[in-house]
Amino acid sequence: MALGDLMASRFSSQSPVALVSSHYDHYPSNHEDDANDVARRDDNNTSNNYRDRDSDTASTSNYGGGNATESTTTTTTNSTAYLPQTVVLCELRHEAFEASVPTGPSDSGLVSKWRPKDRMKTGCVALVLCLNISVDPPDVIKISPCARMECWIDPLSMAPQKALESIGKNLSNQYERWQPKARYKVQLDPTVDEVKKLCNTCRKYAKSERVLFHYNGHGVPKPTANGEIWLFNKSYTQYIPLPVSDLDSWLRTPSIYVFDCSAAGTIVNAFMELHDWNASGSAGSMRDCILLAACEAHETLPQSDEFPADVFTSCLTTPIKMALKWFYKRSLLCDSLDYSLIDKIPGRQNDRKTLLGELNWIFTAVTDTIAWNVLPHDLFQRLFRQDLLVASLFRNFLLAERIMRSANCSPISHPMLPPTHQHHMWDAWDMAAEICLSQLPSLVEDPNAEFQPSPFFTEQLTAFEVWLDHGSEHKKPPEQLPIVLQVLLSQCHRFRALVLLGRFLDMGPWAVDLALSVGIFPYVLKLLQTTTPELRQILVFIWTKILALDKSCQVDLVKDGGHTYFIRFLDSLEAYPEQRAMAAFVLAVIVDGHRRGQEACIEAGLIHVCLKHLRGPVPNDSQTEPLLIQWLCLCLGKLLEDCTEAQIQGLQADAPAIYAPLLLEPQPEGLCCICTGHLA
């Protein structure tokens, strides 16, 4: 049986908020006679009841005119119902064993599957803008008034070359908000040779990291039927086609492409055909090639001045601004709110206490939730948890689909995503956006005015709590799980979110795996650095559930110094014994077969902490929690196992003398744990 099985089953029915210690009464031998007397009295009473019941049954049967056979049958049936009930195999060890057999980590097949595989980052970004400002492509007939804004700049408001440079700089800045550590290269109205040099340079710099290639083709014709994109010759007198096969050979993989132009779907189709033709290794190379395109092969980009000309790029790189401008014209606020104020939203995107930060936080939670609920989990992991920049682009791609479909334009991607533009979580975003925007005039007028947070997260936590009251493994998973992850970032919601998360994890290994798959692990790992007292008990409970499922987390805990958190909790006398037993279990898993974990815990003084608490209790004392003694012994045993340094320290601390009185432990499972620790 795996180390976590018994612990997981032992606490499967415990409340994660207030775990009250359970104490077991051990009756001394002089109580046996009293127990026998009670048993005799029960037997006599039972016999009398049988006689009374039999006579009543017989008279009732005869009174009803029944025959002898019916009378006998009735008597036998009723007498059987009153046989004394003998309850066996009801000790703690029996319940724990039965509960742990079908749900152990080794049998569940869940261990470590939640971890994102092949974590990656985008190391270089190539931005190619083919705008040819003031010259319209020959295949485009523009309406009037027409969409003109590129990266929120009107190209006709300044000299063409200056406008081109400003747009390129703005686009680079917009991408840098999502991945500031990447290297950015911009090519403005380039030739084929310049793009080739750009791609080779980016791949050389990125090495095995991902390269992003962004193409804006608003100043050139639509892609050809073969999926070729257009560039320029040196004198800007001709459009020169660039086959996607050349582009693919220069950038190679891993890569992500963004194509913002009309008929962008033809480029995606060309990539698909290209990789289908390359039979050898096509699946692997196409898997590392991600495509985002503004529209399908037969569609043209929106020209209405309601949108910027680069509406697809604006959704991907400035989602909050684009979402609010689009929502404003469909909201009742358009009659009372000045449209220009949207450009003056105060705050920073990474500061959740400001209006802009709150909106960005809610938007991330909404888009993450939509993706989590509509995508297969392996695809969600790949697109939303593997690469920070890719995750941001795909969150914003969901917004692009919503906005551009309102203009009869359908963005597409590879891997292909199911439609999400009508998901009901967009209604929650609209409400939150309206509440935040209603405060905008007062916040702009008075910079010292206090911002009132949206009730979005409180309401979503309430919805999650309702699911916990009625949900189960056999029902649809709670859609608010990604929001719980986001709420852990906020101090005002953190305690409630952790308590609800603990309740969810307590539902079984499937719930723990689901929470880990959504990305909860780095958040609860980071929370071990906090010193907030009220979070200690629930964090220990959560980590008990995680390690009962996946022992491999021991490496992460030691690497981040998380083991010291549990040693301090174990040494605290303020917590209930059962809660400290959980900490002992966590530490036992940390040192189980993990030399680095053993060394770290020895250095942190775990041996002396365990022996100190084993020295104090008396096994037959009714106030002693047997579970704490068991896990202290198991923890110490695993710490000493195959570790000479720990064994020497244990002998120097007089561990054998401390263990000797514990051998009087009456419960067999407790005695086994003590012997395990003693023999180690």
PDB file of all heavy atoms in Angstrom, residues 76-90:
ATOM      1  N   THR A  76     -41.022 -17.507  11.912  1.00  0.00           N
ATOM      2  CA  THR A  76     -39.592 -17.599  11.615  1.00  0.00           C
ATOM      3  C   THR A  76     -39.056 -16.284  11.084  1.00  0.00           C
ATOM      4  O   THR A  76     -38.005 -15.801  11.486  1.00  0.00           O
ATOM      5  CB  THR A  76     -39.342 -18.724  10.592  1.00  0.00           C
ATOM      6  OG1 THR A  76     -39.871 -19.928  11.111  1.00  0.00           O
ATOM      7  CG2 THR A  76     -37.861 -18.877  10.305  1.00  0.00           C
ATOM      8  N   THR A  77     -39.801 -15.661  10.196  1.00  0.00           N
ATOM      9  CA  THR A  77     -39.357 -14.406   9.594  1.00  0.00           C
ATOM     10  C   THR A  77     -39.217 -13.314  10.631  1.00  0.00           C
ATOM     11  O   THR A  77     -38.213 -12.608  10.702  1.00  0.00           O
ATOM     12  CB  THR A  77     -40.351 -13.968   8.507  1.00  0.00           C
ATOM     13  OG1 THR A  77     -40.456 -15.003   7.553  1.00  0.00           O
ATOM     14  CG2 THR A  77     -39.886 -12.679   7.842  1.00  0.00           C
ATOM     15  N   ASN A  78     -40.224 -13.167  11.471  1.00  0.00           N
ATOM     16  CA  ASN A  78     -40.185 -12.109  12.470  1.00  0.00           C
ATOM     17  C   ASN A  78     -39.129 -12.368  13.528  1.00  0.00           C
ATOM     18  O   ASN A  78     -38.518 -11.450  14.051  1.00  0.00           O
ATOM     19  CB  ASN A  78     -41.554 -11.964  13.127  1.00  0.00           C
ATOM     20  CG  ASN A  78     -42.577 -11.383  12.168  1.00  0.00           C
ATOM     21  OD1 ASN A  78     -42.208 -10.638  11.275  1.00  0.00           O
ATOM     22  ND2 ASN A  78     -43.843 -11.733  12.347  1.00  0.00           N
ATOM     23  N   SER A  79     -38.910 -13.629  13.878  1.00  0.00           N
ATOM     24  CA  SER A  79     -37.896 -13.942  14.877  1.00  0.00           C
ATOM     25  C   SER A  79     -36.513 -13.613  14.362  1.00  0.00           C
ATOM     26  O   SER A  79     -35.660 -13.121  15.089  1.00  0.00           O
ATOM     27  CB  SER A  79     -37.978 -15.428  15.258  1.00  0.00           C
ATOM     28  OG  SER A  79     -39.228 -15.708  15.845  1.00  0.00           O
ATOM     29  N   THR A  80     -36.281 -13.859  13.078  1.00  0.00           N
ATOM     30  CA  THR A  80     -34.972 -13.570  12.491  1.00  0.00           C
ATOM     31  C   THR A  80     -34.655 -12.090  12.577  1.00  0.00           C
ATOM     32  O   THR A  80     -33.519 -11.687  12.795  1.00  0.00           O
ATOM     33  CB  THR A  80     -34.951 -14.028  11.025  1.00  0.00           C
ATOM     34  OG1 THR A  80     -35.267 -15.415  10.977  1.00  0.00           O
ATOM     35  CG2 THR A  80     -33.586 -13.782  10.401  1.00  0.00           C
ATOM     36  N   ALA A  81     -35.644 -11.253  12.432  1.00  0.00           N
ATOM     37  CA  ALA A  81     -35.418  -9.809  12.479  1.00  0.00           C
ATOM     38  C   ALA A  81     -34.942  -9.349  13.841  1.00  0.00           C
ATOM     39  O   ALA A  81     -34.360  -8.281  13.973  1.00  0.00           O
ATOM     40  CB  ALA A  81     -36.693  -9.069  12.100  1.00  0.00           C
ATOM     41  N   TYR A  82     -35.172 -10.169  14.870  1.00  0.00           N
ATOM     42  CA  TYR A  82     -34.799  -9.758  16.220  1.00  0.00           C
ATOM     43  C   TYR A  82     -33.565 -10.485  16.730  1.00  0.00           C
ATOM     44  O   TYR A  82     -33.277 -10.465  17.910  1.00  0.00           O
ATOM     45  CB  TYR A  82     -35.976 -10.000  17.173  1.00  0.00           C
ATOM     46  CG  TYR A  82     -37.028  -8.937  17.033  1.00  0.00           C
ATOM     47  CD1 TYR A  82     -37.982  -9.033  16.038  1.00  0.00           C
ATOM     48  CD2 TYR A  82     -37.041  -7.824  17.873  1.00  0.00           C
ATOM     49  CE1 TYR A  82     -38.942  -8.060  15.883  1.00  0.00           C
ATOM     50  CE2 TYR A  82     -38.001  -6.847  17.729  1.00  0.00           C
ATOM     51  CZ  TYR A  82     -38.951  -6.960  16.733  1.00  0.00           C
ATOM     52  OH  TYR A  82     -39.901  -5.989  16.585  1.00  0.00           O
ATOM     53  N   LEU A  83     -32.815 -11.145  15.832  1.00  0.00           N
ATOM     54  CA  LEU A  83     -31.565 -11.760  16.252  1.00  0.00           C
ATOM     55  C   LEU A  83     -30.573 -10.679  16.652  1.00  0.00           C
ATOM     56  O   LEU A  83     -30.558  -9.590  16.071  1.00  0.00           O
ATOM     57  CB  LEU A  83     -30.983 -12.602  15.115  1.00  0.00           C
ATOM     58  CG  LEU A  83     -31.706 -13.923  14.821  1.00  0.00           C
ATOM     59  CD1 LEU A  83     -31.097 -14.565  13.582  1.00  0.00           C
ATOM     60  CD2 LEU A  83     -31.608 -14.874  16.013  1.00  0.00           C
ATOM     61  N   PRO A  84     -29.714 -10.948  17.632  1.00  0.00           N
ATOM     62  CA  PRO A  84     -28.731  -9.935  18.045  1.00  0.00           C
ATOM     63  C   PRO A  84     -27.761  -9.632  16.908  1.00  0.00           C
ATOM     64  O   PRO A  84     -27.300 -10.532  16.215  1.00  0.00           O
ATOM     65  CB  PRO A  84     -28.017 -10.596  19.234  1.00  0.00           C
ATOM     66  CG  PRO A  84     -28.242 -12.061  19.056  1.00  0.00           C
ATOM     67  CD  PRO A  84     -29.596 -12.195  18.415  1.00  0.00           C
ATOM     68  N   GLN A  85     -27.469  -8.333  16.690  1.00  0.00           N
ATOM     69  CA  GLN A  85     -26.583  -7.898  15.615  1.00  0.00           C
ATOM     70  C   GLN A  85     -25.143  -7.866  16.126  1.00  0.00           C
ATOM     71  O   GLN A  85     -24.826  -7.141  17.065  1.00  0.00           O
ATOM     72  CB  GLN A  85     -26.981  -6.498  15.131  1.00  0.00           C
ATOM     73  CG  GLN A  85     -28.407  -6.420  14.603  1.00  0.00           C
ATOM     74  CD  GLN A  85     -28.589  -7.280  13.366  1.00  0.00           C
ATOM     75  OE1 GLN A  85     -27.751  -7.255  12.470  1.00  0.00           O
ATOM     76  NE2 GLN A  85     -29.678  -8.037  13.322  1.00  0.00           N
ATOM     77  N   THR A  86     -24.281  -8.657  15.508  1.00  0.00           N
ATOM     78  CA  THR A  86     -22.869  -8.693  15.877  1.00  0.00           C
ATOM     79  C   THR A  86     -22.071  -7.875  14.873  1.00  0.00           C
ATOM     80  O   THR A  86     -22.080  -8.181  13.676  1.00  0.00           O
ATOM     81  CB  THR A  86     -22.349 -10.138  15.899  1.00  0.00           C
ATOM     82  OG1 THR A  86     -23.156 -10.899  16.799  1.00  0.00           O
ATOM     83  CG2 THR A  86     -20.886 -10.170  16.348  1.00  0.00           C
ATOM     84  N   VAL A  87     -21.417  -6.812  15.310  1.00  0.00           N
ATOM     85  CA  VAL A  87     -20.650  -5.932  14.430  1.00  0.00           C
ATOM     86  C   VAL A  87     -19.183  -6.311  14.515  1.00  0.00           C
ATOM     87  O   VAL A  87     -18.600  -6.348  15.603  1.00  0.00           O
ATOM     88  CB  VAL A  87     -20.835  -4.459  14.833  1.00  0.00           C
ATOM     89  CG1 VAL A  87     -20.078  -3.556  13.876  1.00  0.00           C
ATOM     90  CG2 VAL A  87     -22.314  -4.101  14.841  1.00  0.00           C
ATOM     91  N   VAL A  88     -18.596  -6.623  13.370  1.00  0.00           N
ATOM     92  CA  VAL A  88     -17.193  -7.031  13.338  1.00  0.00           C
ATOM     93  C   VAL A  88     -16.450  -6.185  12.317  1.00  0.00           C
ATOM     94  O   VAL A  88     -17.046  -5.517  11.473  1.00  0.00           O
ATOM     95  CB  VAL A  88     -17.059  -8.527  12.970  1.00  0.00           C
ATOM     96  CG1 VAL A  88     -17.697  -9.399  14.028  1.00  0.00           C
ATOM     97  CG2 VAL A  88     -17.686  -8.801  11.602  1.00  0.00           C
ATOM     98  N   LEU A  89     -15.117  -6.236  12.391  1.00  0.00           N
ATOM     99  CA  LEU A  89     -14.240  -5.532  11.442  1.00  0.00           C
ATOM    100  C   LEU A  89     -14.605  -4.050  11.338  1.00  0.00           C
ATOM    101  O   LEU A  89     -14.751  -3.499  10.250  1.00  0.00           O
ATOM    102  CB  LEU A  89     -14.312  -6.182  10.054  1.00  0.00           C
ATOM    103  CG  LEU A  89     -13.921  -7.662   9.978  1.00  0.00           C
ATOM    104  CD1 LEU A  89     -14.099  -8.182   8.566  1.00  0.00           C
ATOM    105  CD2 LEU A  89     -12.493  -7.877  10.444  1.00  0.00           C
ATOM    106  N   CYS A  90     -14.771  -3.407  12.482  1.00  0.00           N
ATOM    107  CA  CYS A  90     -15.177  -2.001  12.481  1.00  0.00           C
ATOM    108  C   CYS A  90     -14.130  -1.095  13.104  1.00  0.00           C
ATOM    109  O   CYS A  90     -14.407   0.057  13.425  1.00  0.00           O
ATOM    110  CB  CYS A  90     -16.504  -1.827  13.215  1.00  0.00           C
ATOM    111  SG  CYS A  90     -16.437  -2.358  14.939  1.00  0.00           S
TER     112      CYS A  90
END
